[in-house]
Amino acid sequence: MPQVRGVTNTDAMPIGPVDSSKVPRFAGPATFARLPRIDQVERCDVAVVGVPFDAGVSYRPGARFGPAAVREASRLLRPYHPGLDVSPFERVQVADAGDIVANPFDIGAAIESIEEAAGAIDARLVTIGGDHTIALPLLRAAARRHGPLALLHFDAHLDTWDTYFGAEYTHGTPFRRAVEEGLLDTEAVGHVGTRGPLYGRKDLDDDRRLGFGIVTAADVLRRGLDEVIDALRQRVGDRPLYVSVDIDVLDPAHAPGTGTPEAGGLTSRELLEILRGLAGCDLVGADVVEVSPAYDHADITSIAASHVAYDLVSLLAMQEKT
Ligand SMILES: N=C(N)NCCCC(=O)O
Ligand SMILES: [Zn+2]
Ligand SMILES: [Zn+2]
């Protein structure tokens, strides 16, 4: 039976996901959360878009298959978010914008086309990666619309390193490039969940000099969620905020399917609670990156990433004026 959707949503209710009480959730093509494709709606407030690109990785590859795995895992999401008390797909039009085509053999060309394609989507974006290289063109596109951005970067890693094998554009370097390009408001940039061995103490000195504050994974444990959320909200204030979530911010027990796993990470419960604590901030865009399904088990990582994306969509939907 073909799926029936509304013809137009110009001034009517948003078109929501396929109803899982009528069409089994395991049937039909996997758009994010079973939402309509962007070409099936007249207007779109929040778009979920994939970037299947992983030519920037330093260790285990495979994040090019992240968008497809996260969409599959998102079939079980339901339309009401009790933690945030919002039905995001009723409040605004959310749609799946498909995948951005990025050259797998030319990182420079890929970065350019990601920036251009992201800039051409007339909606607030939640992007599913792909490796962390893609954050740079996504930040460029967002900063072009909103000016210098506050950034909360959830990751085991700093990703402010300078070069790898002489290469400037990799998944370990996007946030140094973003500061150098003036995309970020360096009064309001921070990492959350940082941990693991570094190349040297200079990594931290450089990072601090670039303007970043750090809430380590150990800080989340020792200071507790409420204090951490307060500190993050104070740092961000009312600036336009971009949230970048590298799924390796989670402990490998919660996200084995990723390229550069580090022990001692956040639980998915902690991450989701911190994200919910950002309700009311001026979120303008977000990404979830570094899901590498070949290393996953029982879809643990792509399920976690689908919930992170759902929370980010919900935060964007809550602040959109209806
Ligand atoms: N962005 C991620 N996931 N990892 C960066 C790790 C860079 C390194 O191999 O040192
Ligand atoms: Zn990382
Ligand atoms: Zn990263």
Side-chain angles (χ1 to χ4, degrees):
M1 192 179 66
Q3 292 166 16
V4 180
R5 297 197 188 276
V7 182
T8 162
N9 68 329
T10 337
D11 42 29
M13 290 270 292
I15 300 174
V18 173
D19 184 344
S20 292
S21 68
K22 300 209 170 82
V23 184
R25 50 168 52 100
F26 39 84
T31 55
F32 182 76
R34 311 188 79 203
L35 285 159
R37 298 190 315 263
I38 202 163
D39 58 284
Q40 294 175 307
V41 295
E42 293 261 327
R43 63 152 226 277
C44 177
D45 304 300
V46 177
V48 179
V49 65
V51 182
F53 171 86
D54 66 2
V57 300
S58 56
Y59 197 45
R60 308 196 301 201
R64 64 183 61 184
F65 298 108
V70 175
R71 285 192 180 98
E72 278 297 331
S74 74
R75 288 175 181 275
L76 184 55
L77 294 170
R78 299 181 193 85
Y80 173 66
H81 190 317
L84 289 169
D85 187 24
V86 67
S87 296
F89 313 138
E90 273 176 32
R91 203 176 145 76
V92 299
Q93 182 63 62
V94 190
D96 190 319
D99 285 342
I100 291 175
V101 176
N103 188 328
F105 301 107
D106 183 336
I107 297 183
I111 287 175
E112 270 177 38
S113 46
I114 295 164
E115 179 185 348
E116 195 185 319
I121 301 171
D122 186 21
R124 297 197 177 201
L125 295 184
V126 173
T127 307
I128 303 170
D131 77 51
H132 225 154
T133 313
I134 70 169
L136 178 65
L138 296 170
L139 286 168
R140 285 182 187 163
R144 207 169 339 112
R145 275 186 206 176
H146 302 281
L149 304 160
L151 170 72
L152 290 179
H153 166 221
F154 296 81
D155 201 324
H157 308 99
L158 300 168
D159 289 358
T160 52
W161 285 292
D162 192 7
T163 58
Y164 284 81
F165 292 80
E168 288 179 290
Y169 300 99
T170 77
H171 79 152
T173 57
F175 301 112
R176 181 184 290 240
R177 297 290 95 81
V179 172
E180 289 169 351
E181 293 182 19
L183 308 178
L184 303 179
D185 178 342
T186 53
E187 297 290 299
V189 292
H191 310 292
V192 184
T194 318
R195 63 189 188 276
L198 300 172
Y199 298 95
R201 194 177 290 139
K202 180 173 179 299
D203 296 353
L204 294 171
D205 297 340
D206 286 358
D207 190 76
R208 203 175 306 114
R209 197 171 33 77
L210 291 165
F212 286 87
I214 298 182
V215 174
T216 65
D219 291 333
V220 173
L221 173 71
R222 289 175 181 279
R223 293 168 63 186
L225 292 177
D226 290 338
E227 201 184 309
V228 163
I229 289 165
D230 276 355
L232 297 178
R233 293 182 67 99
Q234 266 188 36
R235 190 152 175 95
V236 167
D238 55 8
R239 298 171 175 89
L241 169 66
Y242 189 93
V243 170
S244 185
V245 179
D246 184 328
I247 205 66
D248 72 27
V249 71
L250 298 180
D251 190 87
H254 292 258
T258 194
T260 47
E262 311 279 350
L266 271 53
T267 64
S268 38
R269 186 170 55 212
E270 287 167 333
L271 174 60
L272 293 170
E273 278 305 303
I274 296 174
L275 293 176
R276 289 163 197 170
L278 301 177
C281 292
D282 184 19
L283 186 64
V284 299
D287 61 56
V288 191
V289 299
E290 298 282 349
V291 173
S292 180
Y295 296 98
D296 209 1
H297 302 275
D299 302 333
I300 296 172
T301 313
S302 38
I303 290 167
S306 75
H307 281 256
V308 168
Y310 179 69
D311 272 44
L312 293 167
V313 166
S314 298
L315 289 172
L316 285 170
M318 283 169 78
Q319 65 188 105
E320 201 77 36
K321 289 160 199 63
T322 47

